[in-house]
Amino acid sequence: MAWAGSIVGGARRGAAMVLAFALPPRCPGCGGIQAEDHHFCADCWRALDFAGADACHRCGATQEIAPAGGECGACLADPPPWDRMAAAVSYGPIARAIALRLKHGGRTGLAETVARQMARRVEIGPDTLIAPVPLHRWRIWRRGYNQSALIARRLAAARGGTLALDLLRRDKATPMLRGLGRKARAETVRGAFSLSSDWGARVKGGTVLLVDDVLTTGATATACAKALKRAGVASVSVVTWARVQRDVGQDVDFHS
C-alpha cells in the first residue's frame, strides 16, 4: 500500500525536523549552532593548528621550514620505531577540549569528528590493518569504551582497510601518564603491549595503521610499534587527532 509508505516516510521526516530543532548540530569546539554535525564554526576552525608541509613525516613535529626529505634532523639521527606519523592538528586549547570530551566526557560522537580530520592525513590500502592503542580491561570497564577504538572504527568506515580492534593487547594496567616526564612515561609503558594470539602469523610482512587520540612524548606509540615490529609487521604508521609540539611551550597535561 503506497499510501502507508508515504505516511511512514512523512512521519520520519517530521520526527527528524523536530529532533533537529530540539537538538541542532553544534560546533565541536565551542558548542555554537552549526548547519551540519561535525562542522566547526569559523572561529574554532581558524584556531585549530592543522598539520601541514612543515611537519616531519616520521614524527609529526612541526619545523620552521619543511624538513629535508620529509624527516627532521632528530628522526634522521635517532628514528622512532614506527615508519610514519601524522596528526590532524597540533595540540592546543580546542584540540585538548575535544580530546577530553571524547575521552572522559562521554561525548563518543566526537570520534566521528576527529576521524574525519585524521582521514585526510593518512593513506590506507585494502590490506592495511587499522588498530587502536588498546586500553586495559579494567580501564574499559570503568570508562565504558576505548576512544581510540571508536576513532579507528570510523576511520575504517571512511577509508577502507581492515579494522583490527583486537590486534594489540594491553597486558599491564598502567597508571595515567598525565604529569609524567618523557623517561617516566617510557618506563611506565615498557612491556605493556603485545600482539594478540589470534593474529600470530597473519601480521608478518603486513602494514598496520596505529590509531590514538593524542601523541605527547610518543612513549605509548613507541611501545606499541615495538610490539608490532617484534611480531613481524613490516610497516607501522601512527595517526592521531592531536600531536603535542614541545617547541611552542604548551601546557601538556593530557595523554592516554
Side-chain angles (χ1 to χ4, degrees):
M1 295 185 297
W3 59 270
S6 299
I7 292 175
V8 171
R12 288 176 176 171
R13 288 191 295 272
M17 292 175 63
V18 171
L19 183 63
F21 179 79
L23 298 171
R26 300 276 180 175
C27 170
C30 67
I33 295 176
Q34 294 298 296
E36 298 182 45
D37 287 321
H38 311 294
H39 281 214
F40 291 88
C41 70
D43 289 340
C44 288
W45 186 262
R46 285 193 294 266
L48 287 168
D49 183 10
F50 289 94
D54 61 344
C56 170
H57 294 176
R58 190 67 179 263
C59 71
T62 57
Q63 316 293 313
E64 291 185 2
I65 58 174
E71 294 190 21
C72 66
C75 286
L76 290 172
D78 184 20
W82 60 80
D83 301 281
R84 189 177 178 89
M85 188 272 160
V89 298
S90 293
Y91 189 87
I94 293 177
R96 175 183 184 274
I98 291 172
L100 286 172
R101 290 169 190 155
L102 170 59
K103 185 172 182 176
H104 297 299
R107 297 283 298 278
T108 56
L110 290 172
E112 171 71 21
T113 304
V114 302
R116 289 188 179 193
Q117 303 306 321
M118 292 162 65
R120 302 179 179 182
R121 301 282 294 142
V122 293
E123 297 178 2
I124 300 176
D127 297 325
T128 300
L129 298 178
I130 303 175
V133 169
L135 292 182
H136 192 271
R137 61 183 182 277
W138 291 353
R139 188 157 292 167
I140 292 179
W141 181 78
R142 288 195 298 269
R143 188 178 301 165
Y145 59 91
N146 177 357
Q147 74 282 351
S148 297
L150 297 179
I151 298 170
R153 187 181 295 278
R154 284 158 177 79
L155 268 177
R159 296 293 306 277
T162 301
L163 186 63
L165 296 179
D166 62 341
L167 182 65
L168 282 172
R169 182 176 61 203
R170 197 163 195 146
D171 299 315
K172 294 197 309 183
T174 56
M176 297 290 287
L177 301 182
R178 182 169 48 239
L180 298 181
R182 183 181 299 272
K183 291 183 179 179
R185 285 172 180 259
E187 186 60 34
T188 299
V189 298
R190 190 186 308 277
F193 304 97
S194 65
L195 187 78
S196 297
S197 58
D198 291 342
W199 288 91
R202 296 163 63 187
V203 302
K204 293 188 182 301
T207 300
V208 172
L209 177 65
L210 185 66
V211 179
D212 205 0
D213 50 0
V214 176
L215 187 141
T216 302
T217 66
T220 300
T222 292
C224 289
K226 285 182 176 180
L228 291 168
K229 288 297 182 79
R230 284 196 301 268
V233 174
S235 175
V236 178
S237 295
V238 180
V239 64
T240 68
W241 156 239
R243 201 265 195 218
V244 171
Q245 305 294 345
R246 290 284 181 178
D247 58 343
V248 296
Q250 291 164 318
D251 179 18
V252 179
D253 62 356
F254 176 80
H255 190 56
S256 56

